[in-house]
Amino acid sequence: NIQYPGIPMDPTSFVDFQLGGGTGVEQNSIRINALATPTSIVVTKVEETGIYLDYFKGLTVYPNPAADYITIRYEKLVKGRVEAELMDLTGRAVMSEEVRQGTNRQTVLDLTDVKNGLYILRFFDKDMNGVEIASFRLIVKK
């Protein structure tokens, strides 16, 4: 159950979602955050330990909170045409960047034109109709 501040908990309400299914992740340990607004509930993965067997090994995103840039670093991207997309909480894409295959790589996203706020950085496979690989909550604070 997720409770909206100031509104009594409804014990019959629930949010049902699947974590890790079909993403090639083994040995899941997942921490999530939920943000309740008057119109929606946004659930984001904060951290996932394990190995992205089909895609990434050693994926990290930093700094968080970020000001002018974020770095996406990974030990290995095994397959797929992977896109990193920064979305606001309405689901609107703010920016995107293709992540290149290879080992010991990094991609830097320029956030100088991005407003302060909470965003979702999601990684998806462009060849598999946008199948989501991973997502991270990102705070931009300048």
Side-chain angles (χ1 to χ4, degrees):
N1 289 334
I2 298 175
Q3 182 175 359
Y4 188 75
I7 298 176
M9 174 73 76
D10 178 357
T12 63
S13 69
F14 64 93
V15 177
D16 187 18
F17 51 92
Q18 183 178 0
L19 297 172
T23 61
V25 179
E26 284 187 352
Q27 301 169 348
N28 293 10
S29 175
I30 299 172
R31 193 166 49 104
I32 63 169
N33 276 345
L35 174 66
T37 69
T39 58
S40 67
I41 297 174
V42 178
V43 178
T44 57
K45 183 171 19 179
V46 176
E47 178 180 44
E48 181 167 354
T49 60
I51 300 171
Y52 297 90
L53 295 175
D54 292 338
Y55 295 93
F56 286 106
K57 179 178 180 188
L59 174 63
T60 57
V61 177
Y62 61 91
N64 192 7
D68 296 323
Y69 68 91
I70 57 167
T71 300
I72 301 165
R73 180 180 294 270
Y74 47 97
E75 291 174 30
K76 189 172 191 177
L77 175 58
V78 179
K79 72 172 190 176
R81 288 188 324 130
V82 174
E83 187 89 12
E85 180 180 65
L86 186 65
M87 298 183 336
D88 65 17
L89 292 183
T90 67
R92 182 180 64 87
V94 175
M95 67 182 350
S96 65
E97 181 79 28
E98 188 162 342
V99 180
R100 298 180 315 185
Q101 285 185 358
T103 57
N104 296 321
R105 294 196 182 240
Q106 70 179 25
T107 300
V108 177
L109 297 182
D110 183 359
L111 302 177
T112 55
D113 294 331
V114 176
K115 296 178 183 176
N116 287 349
L118 183 60
Y119 295 87
I120 307 299
L121 179 64
R122 69 183 279 260
F123 295 87
F124 62 92
D125 187 334
K126 292 173 65 173
D127 292 332
M128 298 292 290
N129 295 323
V131 169
E132 187 166 317
I133 300 165
S135 62
F136 295 85
R137 176 187 61 130
L138 178 69
I139 299 169
V140 175
K141 187 175 180 180
K142 299 179 182 195

